[in-house]
C-alpha cells in the first residue's frame, strides 16, 4: 500500500466537513458552485415530498433508473453493488448504473456543473468534493426527510432513532444534515489475541497494568508498543483518549474550541505524561518513529510488537498480510487513576459521507438507497464485505460472520453504550492539528518533555484556520 492508501484511510475520520482536502478555487466546481445557484436560499436542497406512504415515503418510481457513484478506496465497492441488488429487488423496473472510482471530484465536477449529477454519491477520498461549498450553492439535498422516514426493519421507528450517537451531528452543516456518514469508526489499542493467549497475558484495563504488562512483554523479547511514526496523529489518538477519559466531555469540547485554558487542566499533562512513560521505559519498537502506517502495522502483524494504536479500519487495511490465526482484538484505552469516564468508554464516530445531490434526476431513489443501506441486511452486507461497522445501532445480526477485529470493536461499542466521545479539531482546525502532530513527533523522539508538549499545544490554539 502506498501513499494513496494513507489518504484513503485517513479520510475515514477527516471528512466530516471536507474543508481542507481541496484548496479554495482550485477546481471548476468550486468556482461554479460559488457563483451558480441550486435554487434560492429558501428552497435549496429541498427533498421530494414523496407519496407519504409508509412503504414508499419518498415516492420512488420503479421505472426510474438510479445512478450511483462510489469512492473505491479501502472499503472497495462490492458492498455498494450488494446495496444496488437490494434496491433492484424493491424496485424491479429500475436499471442501476454503478461507477466505482477514486477520482470523485474530477469525475463529478463536470456533471455537477452541467446540472446532471448522480443520484447518490459516496463523497470520500483525497479528491472528494467539498461538502460545505456544495451546501452553500444549494447542491445537496437536506436529509431531514430521510431522518424522519420509517426504519425499514421496524416502521414504528424513524431512521433518526436507529443511528449511533454523533451520526447526525457529523453530517450537519448550518443546522441541517446533508450527508449520511455511514461508517462507524472506533479508536483504541489493538493486539493479537492468539499472542496473548499463547503467552498467558491478560489485556490491561488500567494504565498501571498496561505498563506492568509492557515490562513482561519486553522481557519476552517482543517490543511492547509500536506506532505509525511518520503520521503522528496515530499516537495522538492514544494521548488524547487518555486526556478525554481523565477529564470528561467538557474538556473535549474546550479543546475542540481551541480554548487555550483547556491545556491548563491537569488532565492534559496527566495523559501525555502517562503516554511518555512508553518512551522513558524504552517500550517502543526500534525504528517505529520513522515508519509509515503500513510499515508499522506490518511489523505488528508479524508479531514484532504487542500493541498498536489505530482506528477500526485496521483489520481491512492489513487483511492481506495478517496471519490467518492472528485473532485481531480491540482494547479500549486503559484507565488512569481518577478518570471521569469509565474504563470501557471509547472514542468513536461516523465517517464516509454519502450525499444525494439536489439536482439528481432520481432524488427519491437516492434517498431510498440510503434508507436501504440503513437496514440490518445492508449493515450486515457492509460489515461482511468491508470488515467495518456502520452507524446503524445493533446493525450486525447473528447471521453475519465477522472477522475477529471487527467483532471485537463491535462488542466494545456495545459495551460502551452512551460512553463514547469524539474530537472535531482534526477535521476543523488543521493548523492546530499540524502543530500538535509536530509536538508529538518531538515527544516520541524524546526531544521534548510532556510539559513542553502541553505548552506547545496551548500556544497552537492561536493558530486558527
Amino acid at each position: 500500500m502506498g501513499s494513496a492508501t494513507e489518504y484513503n484511510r485517513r479520510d475515514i475520520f477527516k471528512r466530516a466537513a471536507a474543508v481542507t482536502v481541496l484548496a479554495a478555487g482550485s477546481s471548476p466546481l468550486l468556482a461554479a458552485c460559488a457563483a451558480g445557484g441550486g435554487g434560492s436560499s429558501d428552497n435549496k436542497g429541498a427533498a421530494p415530498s414523496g407519496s407519504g406512504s409508509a412503504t414508499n415515503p419518498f415516492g420512488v418510481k420503479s421505472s426510474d433508473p438510479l445512478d450511483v457513484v462510489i469512492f473505491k478506496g479501502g472499503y472497495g465497492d462490492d458492498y455498494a453493488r450488494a446495496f444496488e441488488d437490494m434496491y433492484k429487488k424493491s424496485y424491479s423496473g429500475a436499471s442501476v448504473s454503478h461507477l466505482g472510482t477514486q477520482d470523485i471530484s474530477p469525475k463529478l465536477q463536470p456533471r455537477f456543473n452541467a446540472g446532471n449529477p448522480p443520484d447518490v454519491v459516496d463523497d470520500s477520498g483525497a479528491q472528494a468534493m467539498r461538502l460545505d461549498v456544495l451546501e452553500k450553492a444549494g447542491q445537496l439535498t437536506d436529509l431531514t426527510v430521510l431522518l424522519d422516514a420509517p426504519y425499514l426493519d421496524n416502521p414504528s421507528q424513524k431512521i433518526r432513532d436507529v443511528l449511533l450517537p454523533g451520526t447526525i451531528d457529523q453530517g450537519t452543516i448550518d443546522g441541517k444534515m446533508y450527508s449520511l456518514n455511514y461508517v462507524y469508526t472506533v479508536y483504541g489499542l489493538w493486539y493479537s489475541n492468539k499472542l496473548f493467549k499463547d503467552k498467558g497475558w491478560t489485556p490491561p484495563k488500567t494504565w498501571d497494568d498496561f505498563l506492568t504488562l509492557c515490562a513482561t512483554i519486553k522481557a519476552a523479547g517482543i517490543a511492547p508498543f509500536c506506532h505509525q511514526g511518520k503520521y503522528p496523529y496515530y499516537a495522538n489518538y492514544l494521548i488524547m483518549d487518555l486526556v478525554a477519559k481523565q477529564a470528561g466531555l467538557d474538556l473535549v469540547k474546550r479543546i475542540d474550541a481551541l480554548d487555550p485554558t483547556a491545556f491548563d487542566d491537569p488532565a492534559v499533562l496527566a495523559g501525555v505524561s502517562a503516554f511518555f512513560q512508553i518512551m522513558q521505559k524504552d517500550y517502543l519498537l526500534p525504528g517505529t518513529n520513522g515508519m509509515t502506517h503500513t510499515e508499522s502495522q506490518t511489523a505488528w502483524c508479524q508479531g514484532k510488537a504487542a500493541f498498536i494504536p489505530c482506528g477500526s479500519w485496521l483489520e481491512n487495511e492489513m487483511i492481506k498480510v495478517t496471519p490467518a490465526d492472528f485473532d485481531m482484538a480491540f482494547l479500549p484505552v486503559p484507565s488512569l487513576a481518577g478518570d471521569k469516564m469509565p474504563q470501557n468508554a471509547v472514542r468513536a464516530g461516523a465517517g464516509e459521507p454519502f450525499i444525494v445531490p439536489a439536482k439528481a434526476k432520481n432524488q427519491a431513489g437516492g434517498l431510498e438507497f440510503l434508507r436501504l443501506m440503513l437496514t440490518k441486511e445492508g449493515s450486515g452486507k457492509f460489515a461482511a464485505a468491508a470488515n467495518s461497522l456502520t452507524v446503524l445501532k445493533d446493525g450486525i445480526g447473528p447471521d453475519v460472520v465477522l472477522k475477529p477485529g471487527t467483532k471485537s470493536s463491535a462488542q466494545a461499542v456495545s459495551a460502551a453504550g452512551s460512553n463514547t466521545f469524539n474530537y472535531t479539531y482534526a477535521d476543523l482546525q488543521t493548523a492546530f492539528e499540524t502543530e500538535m502532530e509536530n509536538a508529538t513527533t518531538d515527544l516520541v523522539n524524546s526531544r521534548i518533555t510532556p510539559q513542553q508538549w502541553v505548552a506547545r499545544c496551548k500556544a497552537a490554539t492561536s493558530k486558527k484556520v
Side-chain angles (χ1 to χ4, degrees):
M1 297 182 182
S3 59
T5 303
E6 172 55 27
Y7 277 116
N8 301 343
R9 194 236 27 87
R10 187 177 185 183
D11 177 76
I12 296 167
F13 62 93
K14 291 183 73 69
R15 294 303 312 151
V19 295
T20 62
V21 174
L22 295 176
S26 64
S27 71
L29 176 63
L30 303 188
C33 286
S40 71
S41 60
D42 293 331
N43 63 10
K44 69 175 185 176
S49 57
S51 67
S53 72
T55 55
N56 188 8
F58 312 122
V60 178
K61 296 179 181 178
S62 185
S63 59
D64 287 350
L66 185 73
D67 188 352
V68 180
V69 176
I70 299 294
F71 170 65
K72 191 173 181 179
Y75 299 126
D77 63 346
D78 287 345
Y79 72 88
R81 294 186 185 278
F83 297 157
E84 291 158 12
D85 288 340
M86 292 169 60
Y87 186 91
K88 285 185 282 189
K89 285 181 182 178
S90 296
Y91 303 97
S92 56
S95 61
V96 179
S97 63
H98 173 101
L99 173 64
T101 179
Q102 293 191 12
D103 300 326
I104 295 295
S105 188
K107 296 282 189 184
L108 297 188
Q109 282 172 18
R111 296 190 57 182
F112 272 82
N113 291 342
N116 181 37
D119 301 313
V120 63
V121 181
D122 172 15
D123 183 33
S124 194
Q127 299 190 73
M129 294 174 290
R130 290 179 57 172
L131 296 181
D132 58 334
V133 173
L134 290 174
E135 184 275 329
K136 284 181 174 61
Q139 295 278 9
L140 299 178
T141 298
D142 177 1
L143 298 183
T144 301
V145 66
L146 171 69
L147 296 176
D148 290 333
Y151 170 46
L152 271 164
D153 293 340
N154 181 2
S156 68
Q157 294 180 289
K158 295 181 178 180
I159 292 293
R160 66 169 70 248
D161 300 326
V162 298
L163 299 177
L164 284 168
T167 303
I168 295 174
D169 292 341
Q170 197 76 2
T172 295
I173 303 173
D174 294 335
K176 294 181 180 179
M177 180 171 138
Y178 289 98
S179 66
L180 170 65
N181 287 269
Y182 185 66
V183 183
Y184 202 69
T185 304
V186 190
Y187 305 83
L189 292 173
W190 297 79
Y191 64 97
S192 164
N193 199 40
K194 178 184 185 300
L195 174 65
F196 274 51
K197 285 183 176 179
D198 289 348
K199 298 292 187 180
W201 299 335
T202 301
K205 292 187 176 182
T206 70
W207 193 255
D208 286 343
D209 289 343
F210 171 79
L211 294 173
T212 299
L213 178 58
C214 283
T216 301
I217 293 169
K218 184 176 180 181
I222 300 172
F225 184 86
C226 68
H227 70 110
Q228 303 83 338
K230 286 192 174 181
Y231 305 107
Y233 51 84
Y234 288 88
N236 284 340
Y237 297 154
L238 181 50
I239 294 171
M240 298 308 290
D241 284 9
L242 286 164
V243 170
K245 294 174 82 164
Q246 174 78 178
L249 293 176
D250 181 64
L251 187 65
V252 170
K253 294 176 182 177
R254 289 169 60 202
I255 290 172
D256 282 337
L258 300 193
D259 176 358
T261 66
F263 287 88
D264 296 330
D265 191 301
V268 179
L269 182 59
V272 70
S273 295
F275 172 78
F276 192 59
Q277 292 178 78
I278 294 173
M279 276 60 71
Q280 288 179 307
K281 296 178 182 294
D282 194 25
Y283 289 159
L284 281 181
L285 173 70
T288 191
N289 287 344
M291 290 182 181
T292 65
H293 63 301
T294 48
E295 288 169 344
S296 61
Q297 291 162 195
T298 297
W300 173 71
C301 287
Q302 293 170 343
K304 294 177 181 177
F307 290 106
I308 192 168
C310 201
S312 50
W313 59 79
L314 178 65
E315 186 166 45
N316 202 59
E317 186 168 63
M318 303 311 294
I319 198 165
K320 292 182 180 179
V321 300
T322 305
D325 60 351
F326 189 80
D327 199 6
M328 194 178 294
F330 174 85
L331 178 72
V333 171
S335 295
L336 297 173
D339 273 1
K340 290 186 178 179
M341 299 189 76
Q343 184 274 330
N344 63 2
V346 293
R347 184 199 299 217
E352 201 75 10
F354 281 73
I355 60 173
V356 175
K359 294 184 179 181
K361 286 188 173 63
N362 190 4
Q363 191 183 33
L367 290 164
E368 183 68 1
F369 188 85
L370 299 186
R371 193 166 75 113
L372 286 165
M373 288 167 55
L374 294 168
T375 59
K376 285 202 172 183
E377 180 184 0
S379 184
K381 288 181 182 298
F382 180 83
N387 300 304
S388 292
L389 307 178
T390 75
V391 295
L392 181 69
K393 289 179 184 175
D394 301 317
I396 309 298
D399 57 321
V400 179
V401 179
L402 300 175
K403 290 195 175 296
T406 306
K407 183 177 181 180
S408 178
S409 59
Q411 291 170 339
V413 170
S414 180
S418 61
N419 291 308
T420 61
F421 61 93
N422 202 9
Y423 290 95
T424 63
Y425 68 81
D427 296 319
L428 305 178
Q429 304 292 350
T430 303
F432 168 77
E433 159 78 355
T434 299
E435 290 297 311
M436 179 183 281
E437 290 183 22
N438 292 340
T440 298
T441 294
D442 286 341
L443 186 76
V444 296
N445 285 285
S446 299
R447 292 193 289 259
I448 62 172
T449 65
Q451 290 81 0
Q452 290 171 316
W453 184 93
V454 173
R456 284 176 58 173
C457 290
K458 180 178 180 178
T461 59
S462 65
K463 296 183 179 295
K464 300 180 186 293
V465 177

